Amino acid sequence: MGEVVYDGGTVRRARYAVAVVFAVHGAVTGSFATRIPWIQDHAAVGAGQLGLALAFPALGASVAMPLASRITHALGARTALRVLIALWTLALVLPSLAPNLWTLCLALLVYGATAGMSDVAMNALGVEVENRLHKSIMSGLHGMWSVGALVGSAAGTLAAHLGSDARLHHALAASALTVLGVTACRWVLDLRSAQDEEPPPRFSLPPRSALLIGAVGFCAVFAEGASLDWSAVYLRDELGTSAGLAAASTTGFMLTMALARIAGDAIVNRFGAVRTVRVGGVLAALGGLLVVVADRPAAAMAGFALLGLGIAVVVPLCFAAAGRSGPNPSQAIAGVATITYTSGLVAPSAIGTVAEATSLMVSFGLVTFLACGLVGFAGVLRSADRDRPRISAPDAAVPGPRP
């Protein structure tokens, strides 16, 4: 059969549709995170047990992500994303229903598995749209994820302030987000594998092409996880700030990342992925150093803001590079996603372990060291650079894959 041809308008609509899906995905995360205290009380678990339970989302994601490419192969990209994003949004209700530790761990395992599979599917479609537009859009898509997370967390904060039962809050949020996500999938590209193409394996190790790219993502996500989970604690314990000011440092970090990701595509299109990540690595390392040497809250908050600015576009560019690093974009993206999710799982506990043995200052010295790795290994993201002419005509035909 001949190739499917997508006109420019179809591809642009697909870009906006995928952006909405990214925002929906982020909104689920933000909605869940703000109600963790309620869930902890409802399940009657202590801090240590909660820490154990919160490891299960990353575990579920790491195990399930390789399945995403097989589901996409079987159903086609559009149907697969529609199914996976619906499973993810509906999984939001599960943790708040858990009455004890074991059911909470099981709920979070499912929650993480659906998160990881939908993450792979939407990033793979984002890379395909980027290829057809001939310009960087992945940073902006991840910026929409951050915006969704902020909106979800703001709604969750309001619900918590009003004393709302998280079961009701999450049921309403899941319903609205499911409708929005499934509706947006109507306009994503309906890509399908060739009829004679072998399905990817159900489970596999990350391909070699994804390992170095994943290592760069590991450094960025480690810094992100450490900053999100420990920035408020750092300001409170190391610098003696109030709880409100300490929490503001985390919000500032998230806002910096969101804004940098939204603006990141223009920077990547102008300077290229490699130079952007190298400069970002320098900024992140300077931010980490500022956190380590800060003796006042303002300096530490500026350091965390620089960290957020420096690492903001790294993960989107890792996914973009993975999507062009081999014959199976979904499998390569799943490999990179597995490595980065593992980093997100390791970072908070690693920071805590080092801090217990030494101090939080030393822990963020480790973050600074890893940020330097972004400078040294940015070259492996060269495949994320655009080296093809852009489409200038508004209705230029864009070839797609064979159905």
Side-chain angles (χ1 to χ4, degrees):
M1 296 179 68
E3 285 190 335
V4 177
V5 176
Y6 298 109
D7 61 51
T10 299
V11 177
R12 284 192 294 272
R13 284 192 296 274
R15 174 186 181 178
Y16 299 137
V18 173
V20 171
V21 173
F22 268 79
V24 166
H25 197 285
V28 174
T29 302
S31 299
F32 166 72
T34 53
R35 305 313 305 270
I36 289 177
W38 190 99
I39 293 169
Q40 179 184 9
D41 291 341
H42 180 68
V45 297
Q49 292 175 320
L50 178 63
L52 171 65
L54 289 176
F56 275 77
L59 177 63
S62 298
V63 170
M65 277 189 289
L67 290 173
S69 56
R70 193 173 181 92
I71 293 170
T72 299
H73 176 89
L75 301 179
R78 179 185 292 168
T79 302
L81 183 59
R82 183 180 286 130
V83 170
L84 293 174
I85 199 66
L87 289 176
W88 162 234
T89 51
L90 293 173
L92 173 62
V93 305
L94 297 178
S96 61
L97 299 176
N100 54 50
L101 174 63
W102 304 114
T103 54
L104 179 60
C105 290
L106 179 61
L108 290 175
L109 185 73
V110 175
Y111 173 87
T114 56
M117 290 189 293
S118 54
D119 194 320
V120 170
M122 70 187 191
N123 274 285
L125 265 172
V127 171
E128 292 291 347
V129 173
E130 182 176 271
N131 288 341
R132 286 156 176 76
L133 289 174
H134 300 275
K135 62 180 181 180
S136 176
I137 66 166
M138 289 301 291
S139 179
L141 292 179
H142 282 254
M144 288 300 296
W145 188 97
S146 297
V147 170
L150 286 170
V151 171
S153 63
T157 300
L158 177 60
H161 179 71
L162 296 175
S164 171
D165 188 308
R167 290 169 294 189
L168 175 62
H169 163 214
H170 284 168
L172 293 174
S175 299
L177 292 172
T178 300
V179 171
L180 182 58
V182 170
T183 302
C185 288
R186 178 180 178 182
W187 291 281
V188 302
L189 298 181
D190 191 17
L191 308 178
R192 296 182 179 273
S193 302
Q195 293 179 350
D196 58 349
E197 183 178 333
E198 288 291 327
R202 289 183 176 87
F203 294 99
S204 64
L205 294 174
R208 278 187 290 180
S209 61
L211 292 178
L212 284 176
I213 297 171
V216 175
F218 183 97
C219 293
V221 173
F222 192 99
E224 180 180 352
S227 299
L228 282 174
D229 288 3
W230 287 96
S231 57
V233 178
Y234 190 93
L235 265 76
R236 184 193 65 191
D237 293 355
E238 296 291 324
L239 301 176
T241 64
S242 66
L245 187 59
S249 69
T250 304
T251 303
F253 175 83
M254 292 177 65
L255 281 171
T256 302
M257 283 198 67
L259 293 173
R261 282 176 169 174
I262 290 171
D265 288 323
I267 298 171
V268 173
N269 284 324
R270 181 173 179 82
F271 298 106
V274 175
R275 280 193 288 178
T276 300
V277 171
R278 281 185 177 147
V279 172
V282 171
L283 292 175
L286 289 174
L289 182 61
L290 186 55
V291 169
V292 170
V293 302
D295 58 355
R296 295 186 178 183
M301 292 175 74
F304 283 118
L306 274 177
L307 268 169
L309 183 65
I311 65 175
V313 301
V314 177
V315 171
L317 290 177
C318 286
F319 283 126
R324 302 183 191 93
S325 64
N328 192 322
S330 292
Q331 191 175 355
I333 289 171
V336 170
T338 300
I339 295 170
T340 56
Y341 267 71
T342 301
S343 179
L345 173 63
V346 168
S349 58
I351 292 297
T353 300
V354 173
E356 187 173 352
T358 55
S359 69
L360 270 176
M361 187 179 299
V362 175
S363 295
F364 277 92
L366 174 61
V367 172
T368 304
F369 174 77
L370 290 175
C372 293
L374 299 176
V375 181
F377 295 103
V380 304
L381 302 183
R382 200 168 303 280
S383 59
D385 277 327
R386 316 250 62 80
D387 55 3
R388 292 167 294 182
R390 297 184 187 177
I391 298 174
S392 55
D395 295 321
V398 187
R402 294 182 181 274

